[in-house]
Amino acid sequence: MTKIDFSQPMRQSVKGLFLIFIQEGKKVIKTFWPVIVPVLLKKGSHDKLLIIGVILLAGILLTLIHAILYFRNYRFHIKNQQFILKKGYLNKKILTIPLNRIQNVKTSQSVLQQFLGVMSLEIDTAGTARKELKIHALSKTLAVQLARELSSQLEIEQTTDGINEEESVSGEVQILRLSNRDLLKIGISQNHFRTMVILLLLGLQFFNKLEEYFEERAKEYSYEILQFLGESSWMFFGLLVLVFLLIAFLYSMIRTLVLFYDLRFLKMKQTYRIVSGLLNKRNLLVPFHKIQQLDWETGPLKKLFGIYRVNIRQATSDLTPAAQLIEIPGCLSKHIELMKNDLFGSDELKDQQVIHSSKVYFKRNWLFLGWIPAGLISPAFFFEWTYIIPALLWIVLMGFYCQLKQRKSHFQIDNHQIRVSSGAISHKFKQMEFHKVQHLQFSQSIFHKKRGVASLKIGNASGFIRLPFIDDKVAKSLYDYLLYYAETSNKSWM
Amino acid sequence: MTNDFSNSIIPPENLPTLEAADFNPLDPKYLKLIYIRLTITSVIMLLSGLGFGLLVKDKFPVFAYWIIGGFMLISLAYSFIISQLSFPYRGYLIREKDIAYKQGLIRFTHTSIPFIRIQHVELIQGVIAKQMNLATIKIFTAGGSSDDLSIPGLPIEKARQIREFLTGKISSDDKD
């Protein structure tokens, strides 16, 4: 491969013009669809087709001009150990990133990009959130070389061959590869109730949006639906829940397939590499020292299959959870042991004493989740006394739930690291080393002061770990110790 | 439990502890600023509540308005009282290697960030705060976490001083 000179300002691949056009077109449609849809749906105008045609043509033309101007004014180069990106034709913008501030460089390819033979390159800097640092259309060779150039300051450069696509590098060990059967297990053992709630909320949001435009119609329909619901029995309600669960189940299966198809989890010296995806192949490099925290989780169904979901958390500027945590579903316990050993050394926490959250944690949770919601609907008892039964049932149910939560809330520490357990129905673990600590919060309400209970929040560059309702003396001395540890440690934390 | 706990960790002798008494109080003028802000929000809330009430005058029974109005008044009075009572509990502390902020009467919290973990520091001044020569210092750490530290109610000279001090600390500790 010929070496490309990055010191001269350069543009994206010309093929990318099409991509930019599509992208900007999408943005235009996204912003203007509330205006466009009513026009399209308006009845009775004679030259409707003509109007639509004119709007469409004007839209396409304007977007095309915009895309060309955008493309021509989008330039980047590397100078004085800085990556400089200039963009915009009306509002000119110059972004400068010192190479040593770069945390991670990612390349990816969507279906369309694969078709066009271009790649996205994303630069990750910890600190402030910046979404603009993604170049969408680079030719493959350029992307690979630029990624290598940019990550020259990172340690991974020496260990792996930059961002190599498919081929595995010699010396790389495969830890885990998910087969289609594994994917099936993972899909089945997702939390379908949570997915259902998310989908329902999304649906409601969509319904609200629709309602704004078709207000009268929607009112009519929703009245009919309500009437229908009122008249029909509990059976129907149960059936509805079942249908939604089925939809949620299908959704989980598809999501699992799309995200984790042919997932390969590889290790080379001090770096993990994760390759996965059906439509969008992602290829992530994670150097060990960038990892802030390791989470693993199992649930009733996952337990049945003996699988865990692992999340590797690292520091990023991107605030979306997807960027901060790298999900590896379908790990077996031996994989977790291996990762723990890689990241935290031999497991010394195992023999440490388990410190539980106080009983106060249970009482407070039960009060907030059980008694207060039941109390809030109590005025309804005056109208229909039978409502007492579900309310009581709710309190009992929440009692059990909070009991489970209480039992799983504990942690273990040694001189250098902490492992925290939490969860109610599922069981979650989080582990981190103390030199990653960057922020500490101690909190205590006046009701809990005399009981000697307090909570501690331990922050790292990827989020935080909470120790709820522990002995306040323990919390205080941990606070002082961790602060001391972070201030005296000279290990790199990011 | 505590005894077992200290068996597992061996802290060095005389580990510095964070004592509530050592904290510096905020500028008393900041309490005035809180009152002004609360008054503005109350006036807006009450006016819009009144406007809304007049608009839908006949749609709900009268007692509903009394309940909502009463609820609004009580919550406003509560904010005033709690701001006054909790003010002495607010404070900040700068030590040799870290910065801390404490607050809260009903739920007391204190937060610390070591200097070596600070990414950048901002000085913020609102319109009213500018008139009163007050400023807020915001301290950001990596990862864009929302739980960064901010210290309100500092006299502007003091705030500038702290910012200079902290930025000095960051660049002197920056090795890369």
Side-chain angles (χ1 to χ4, degrees):
Chain A
M1 249 186 284
T2 49
K3 195 144 174 66
I4 301 166
D5 180 19
F6 287 107
S7 63
Q8 294 305 316
M10 57 180 82
R11 299 202 176 95
Q12 302 183 75
S13 161
V14 185
K15 287 181 227 159
L17 196 56
F18 181 66
L19 199 76
I20 296 166
F21 175 68
I22 300 261
Q23 241 167 25
E24 297 301 308
K26 260 192 209 160
K27 267 190 216 161
V28 170
I29 292 172
K30 235 183 216 166
T31 2
F32 290 112
W33 79 269
V35 189
I36 299 167
V37 170
V39 172
L40 291 182
L41 289 175
K42 212 175 210 168
K43 275 181 198 163
S45 58
H46 295 294
D47 12 62
K48 194 177 161 191
L49 272 176
L50 190 75
I51 292 173
I52 291 171
V54 167
I55 289 176
L56 216 64
L57 207 70
I60 290 172
L61 214 69
L62 282 175
T63 314
L64 194 66
I65 293 170
H66 168 71
I68 292 171
L69 283 173
Y70 184 88
F71 174 77
R72 285 200 51 86
N73 287 285
Y74 194 101
R75 274 180 285 184
F76 51 87
H77 65 284
I78 298 173
K79 201 178 172 186
N80 299 332
Q81 293 295 303
Q82 284 182 325
F83 179 74
I84 298 159
L85 177 67
K86 294 180 185 172
K87 64 182 197 177
Y89 50 94
L90 290 176
N91 281 320
K92 297 217 182 236
K93 214 174 201 177
I94 303 176
L95 296 167
T96 316
I97 305 114
L99 292 189
N100 59 18
R101 288 279 168 205
I102 292 173
Q103 290 287 317
N104 204 349
V105 183
K106 276 184 269 182
T107 54
S108 61
Q109 246 183 336
S110 67
V111 180
L112 186 63
Q113 283 172 323
Q114 271 173 39
F115 182 70
L116 290 169
V118 294
M119 277 180 124
S120 285
L121 184 130
E122 198 178 347
I123 300 170
D124 201 350
T125 59
T128 39
R130 274 187 180 156
K131 279 235 155 141
E132 294 112 342
L133 287 175
K134 192 165 180 182
I135 307 173
H136 288 282
L138 290 173
S139 71
K140 226 170 179 171
T141 45
L142 187 63
V144 170
Q145 283 212 29
L146 184 59
R148 193 172 305 165
E149 197 70 29
L150 290 174
S151 56
S152 61
Q153 298 272 339
L154 297 172
E155 278 170 42
I156 46 168
E157 223 282 321
Q158 285 99 49
T159 53
T160 56
D161 189 19
I163 315 282
N164 209 334
E165 253 288 275
E166 286 290 304
E167 317 82 45
S168 69
V169 191
S170 63
E172 206 169 37
V173 191
Q174 181 169 299
I175 301 174
L176 172 76
R177 181 171 196 162
L178 294 181
S179 68
N180 291 344
R181 249 186 76 185
D182 293 331
L183 284 178
L184 192 70
K185 281 186 200 165
I186 293 162
I188 290 170
S189 61
Q190 298 288 321
N191 188 343
H192 301 298
F193 280 100
R194 199 176 50 196
T195 320
M196 183 175 86
V197 172
I198 292 169
L199 287 178
L200 269 176
L201 287 178
L202 279 178
L204 280 178
Q205 223 174 14
F206 184 67
F207 186 73
N208 269 341
K209 259 207 171 143
L210 279 183
E211 199 175 341
E212 278 171 31
Y213 303 113
F214 312 102
E215 219 181 328
E216 277 168 37
R217 280 273 187 82
K219 262 184 193 154
E220 231 168 79
Y221 284 138
S222 58
Y223 179 70
E224 265 171 36
I225 291 170
L226 279 180
Q227 212 174 22
F228 182 57
L229 278 178
E231 281 167 6
S232 48
S233 59
W234 284 92
M235 268 277 274
F236 176 76
F237 185 69
L239 208 71
L240 208 69
V241 170
L242 218 70
V243 167
F244 269 109
L245 257 179
L246 198 75
I247 294 172
F249 178 76
L250 280 174
Y251 176 82
S252 299
M253 293 304 262
I254 292 168
R255 178 182 173 271
T256 307
L257 188 70
V258 168
L259 281 181
F260 305 118
Y261 177 74
D262 193 28
L263 181 137
R264 271 164 300 151
F265 179 38
L266 309 145
K267 175 186 155 186
M268 169 147 176
K269 284 181 190 165
Q270 298 290 302
T271 309
Y272 287 136
R273 190 161 81 101
I274 296 122
V275 188
S276 76
L278 182 66
L279 303 172
N280 229 334
K281 269 247 171 288
R282 50 171 203 159
N283 180 47
L284 293 168
L285 279 177
V286 195
F288 288 175
H289 70 274
K290 295 249 187 277
I291 296 173
Q292 300 286 317
Q293 185 182 322
L294 185 73
D295 298 357
W296 62 100
E297 180 187 343
T298 182
L301 279 169
K302 287 195 189 77
K303 237 176 218 161
L304 209 66
F305 296 126
I307 56 174
Y308 293 83
R309 188 178 75 196
V310 170
N311 286 326
I312 297 176
R313 286 175 177 272
Q314 60 170 353
T316 56
S317 57
D318 201 340
L319 287 179
T320 52
Q324 276 189 334
L325 52 96
I326 297 154
E327 190 180 337
I328 309 170
C331 283
L332 303 174
S333 62
K334 67 172 184 197
H335 299 129
I336 291 168
E337 290 307 316
L338 191 115
M339 287 167 85
K340 274 198 278 186
N341 199 36
D342 282 346
L343 299 173
F344 309 118
S346 60
D347 197 353
E348 316 230 314
L349 287 171
K350 211 167 37 196
D351 310 319
Q352 293 297 339
Q353 196 215 340
V354 179
I355 303 173
H356 284 270
S357 287
S358 152
K359 269 277 165 213
V360 175
Y361 186 48
F362 165 74
K363 283 179 193 157
R364 199 210 59 151
N365 280 338
W366 199 19
L367 181 70
F368 278 93
L369 293 172
W371 291 90
I372 288 180
L376 281 177
I377 64 148
S378 60
F381 300 159
F382 292 110
F383 300 109
E384 178 65 60
W385 68 271
T386 46
Y387 285 166
I388 289 181
I389 297 163
L392 284 176
L393 218 66
W394 176 256
I395 291 175
V396 173
L397 209 71
M398 280 299 120
F400 281 117
Y401 180 83
C402 296
Q403 192 68 42
L404 283 174
K405 216 171 151 74
Q406 156 80 27
R407 235 178 266 159
K408 278 174 185 155
S409 178
H410 52 77
F411 68 96
Q412 285 168 295
I413 43 171
D414 70 2
N415 287 346
H416 309 292
Q417 48 184 301
I418 185 164
R419 178 154 71 223
V420 181
S421 144
S422 66
I425 292 168
S426 61
H427 200 170
K428 297 170 191 153
F429 294 92
K430 294 171 179 171
Q431 189 164 346
M432 73 177 271
E433 285 174 302
F434 289 155
H435 67 270
K436 306 279 182 189
V437 170
Q438 65 171 14
H439 166 269
L440 282 162
Q441 190 182 65
F442 169 94
S443 65
Q444 185 173 41
S445 78
I446 43 171
F447 310 111
H448 298 139
K449 195 165 183 173
K450 54 176 184 284
R451 295 176 192 235
V453 172
S455 298
L456 195 65
K457 211 161 107 177
I458 305 169
N460 56 42
S462 72
F464 55 83
I465 291 181
R466 261 176 67 84
L467 305 178
F469 297 90
I470 56 174
D471 187 324
D472 62 354
K473 287 186 211 75
V474 175
K476 267 198 186 111
S477 41
L478 246 180
Y479 188 99
D480 292 330
Y481 178 71
L482 293 183
L483 211 51
Y484 162 83
Y485 197 102
E487 282 159 8
T488 51
S489 153
N490 44 22
K491 278 189 183 166
S492 89
W493 97 102
M494 252 183 18
Chain B
M1 198 185 273
T2 319
N3 292 337
D4 292 329
F5 166 72
S6 35
N7 281 339
S8 57
I9 271 196
I10 310 139
E13 293 293 303
N14 304 323
L15 201 63
T17 56
L18 215 53
E19 294 295 340
D22 299 335
F23 279 69
N24 305 302
L26 304 182
D27 193 316
K29 273 193 291 181
Y30 182 58
L31 186 59
K32 247 190 244 167
L33 178 65
I34 297 175
Y35 278 156
I36 293 173
R37 272 197 212 137
L38 270 175
T39 313
I40 293 172
T41 28
S42 329
V43 168
I44 291 172
M45 253 178 80
L46 289 176
L47 280 181
S48 53
L50 208 69
F52 184 74
L54 287 175
L55 214 67
V56 291
K57 211 164 33 184
D58 315 314
K59 297 233 170 123
F60 301 103
V62 185
F63 74 92
Y65 295 109
W66 283 110
I67 289 174
I68 294 166
F71 191 74
M72 265 161 84
L73 281 178
I74 288 170
S75 61
L76 284 174
Y78 174 80
S79 340
F80 274 100
I81 293 167
I82 211 76
S83 310
Q84 169 76 45
L85 290 180
S86 69
F87 194 73
Y89 290 87
R90 292 175 176 231
Y92 67 96
L93 179 66
I94 298 174
R95 301 195 296 183
E96 210 177 303
K97 288 195 163 64
D98 51 43
I99 183 162
Y101 181 67
K102 62 162 187 145
Q103 63 175 5
L105 168 67
I106 289 175
R107 185 167 172 273
F108 174 77
T109 67
H110 59 79
T111 308
S112 289
I113 294 178
F115 294 147
I116 49 169
R117 299 289 189 259
I118 296 176
Q119 289 292 93
H120 74 278
V121 183
E122 267 176 24
L123 195 149
I124 291 168
Q125 230 183 348
V127 184
I128 311 168
K130 208 164 197 170
Q131 301 299 315
M132 303 174 87
N133 279 325
L134 290 175
T136 300
I137 288 272
K138 277 196 165 186
I139 296 166
F140 294 87
T141 54
S145 49
S146 53
D147 6 81
D148 303 313
L149 197 118
S150 71
I151 305 172
L154 293 166
I156 180 74
E157 310 85 46
K158 188 95 199 159
R160 286 212 185 99
Q161 233 174 13
I162 293 173
R163 184 186 57 182
E164 291 318 313
F165 174 73
L166 291 178
T167 29
K169 281 278 175 202
I170 303 167
S171 44
S172 70
D173 285 325
D174 217 355
K175 277 169 206 112
D176 47 36

